[in-house]
Amino acid sequence: MLCLTTATIALRPFGLALYWMWPWTMVFFIWLSFFGFFALYARLKDIRIDFVAQRMGRAGMAMTRIVADLAALFLAACLLAQAPMVIATSTGIYDGAVLPSGGEVPRLFLSVPLFLSTALVAITALIDLAKMAVGLPENTTLPHLEP
C-alpha cells in the first residue's frame, strides 16, 4: 500500500499516475484491518485489564478469562448472524479495483475478511474455554511473563 501510494505521488509531476492504486489500497486496507484484528486478539495484544483481575486473585483471573471469551463469542455471533444479509446486499463491483483478467473486484470480496476474521476469533475463544475446562493455563504475552 505504501509503495503504491508513494509511486503515484512521485510520478504525478511526470504526468504518470497509477489510476488503479487508490481502489486497491482501500481493498488491502480493509483486508489488513480485519485480519489484523484477529492477529491482535489471538496474540493477546488487545486491551487487557489483568492488573484489575490480579488484585482479585486466581478467581478474578478465571472470571475475566471467561467473561472475555463469552463476550468475544457473543460479538462474533452477532456479526456472523448478519452475514446472510450482508452477502445478499453485496452485489456489484468495487469500482476501480481492476483484476488481471480485466474485470473488477466483486463487492462481496470486501466482506469476506470480516466474516473469516470473526469466525477465527470465535474459534480462538472456544479453544480458550476448552483449555480452561481441562485445566490448561491462559495464554500470556511476553510482557506479562517478564518480572
Side-chain angles (χ1 to χ4, degrees):
M1 290 175 8
L2 178 63
C3 291
L4 290 173
T5 304
T6 303
T8 297
I9 292 169
L11 294 174
R12 281 186 185 165
F14 302 105
L16 298 170
L18 305 173
Y19 68 92
W20 49 267
M21 177 280 310
W22 179 249
W24 273 109
T25 299
M26 295 308 297
V27 169
F28 292 149
F29 178 77
I30 290 167
W31 276 70
L32 289 172
S33 296
F34 289 134
F35 284 119
F37 175 73
F38 166 68
L40 286 173
Y41 180 79
R43 293 179 179 214
L44 304 176
K45 298 293 185 184
D46 55 336
I47 297 172
R48 309 227 358 151
I49 55 169
D50 287 347
F51 68 94
V52 174
Q54 287 172 349
R55 289 182 180 222
M56 295 186 288
R58 294 178 65 106
M61 291 298 288
M63 182 179 67
T64 58
R65 184 178 181 184
I66 292 169
V67 169
D69 287 337
L70 291 178
L73 287 171
F74 175 75
L75 291 173
C78 290
L79 283 171
L80 292 174
Q82 299 300 313
M85 182 186 67
V86 171
I87 290 169
T89 59
S90 295
T91 58
I93 58 169
Y94 186 70
D95 295 329
V98 180
L99 295 168
S101 63
E104 292 179 285
V105 170
R107 192 161 289 280
L108 179 62
F109 192 70
L110 302 177
S111 303
V112 169
L114 170 63
F115 298 120
L116 288 176
S117 180
T118 302
L120 291 171
V121 167
I123 291 168
T124 302
L126 287 171
I127 289 171
D128 189 52
L129 287 172
K131 285 173 53 177
M132 186 176 184
V134 297
L136 293 172
E138 182 176 15
N139 292 340
T140 55
T141 60
L142 287 178
H144 291 115
L145 293 176
E146 295 173 359

